Amino acid sequence: MKLIVGLDEITDTDGRRVGGKVVALAALHRAGIAVPATRCLTIEAYELFVEQAGLRAVISQELGRKSFADMRWEELWDAALRIRSQFLRSEIPETLSEAVARALADHVGDSAVAVRSSAPGEDSRQVSFAGLHESVVGVEGIDAVQDALRTVWASLWSDAALLYRR
């Protein structure tokens, strides 16, 4: 299980593991186009966080109250708020925290970074989640990066993102 990968490790078939944005960025990198120093947390990193924080149960409870298709906007907004709040309060697992700290130290040092989403299925020929998920720029230090990770991951569960998926 690899939690963090670099652009050199990503192929055109890795969309389910790292999302379409990073696959496209890796293709640009392979073509010799200059792109920012990039490290990508894999779906395994997200799953580790969700599992260890008990977030799967929170998501199931909030979205399982009634049929997703039958939820009114207000109900969806309330459920999304509770899910996002739990994401923001949850601890990043130590294994993941250490991997992120190493990646920062090895690849960007003390420079500020941008933390962006690249979820599988987020952007494709059929759908575009442009502007629906958070990006956090100018992030410095491991604590701020962890806060940004939680913010980006929580944004996958915003009412806007849920309504778009529906």
Side-chain angles (χ1 to χ4, degrees), residues 101-119:
R102 275 192 309 277
L104 288 172
D106 293 347
H107 302 289
V108 296
D110 294 331
S111 298
V113 299
V115 179
R116 304 193 62 217
S117 68
S118 180

Side-chain angles (χ1 to χ4, degrees), residues 32-55:
I33 297 170
V35 297
T38 301
R39 292 297 170 265
C40 177
L41 276 70
T42 63
I43 190 69
E44 289 88 1
Y46 172 81
E47 291 292 334
L48 176 68
F49 173 67
V50 167
E51 191 64 38
Q52 289 196 6
L55 294 166

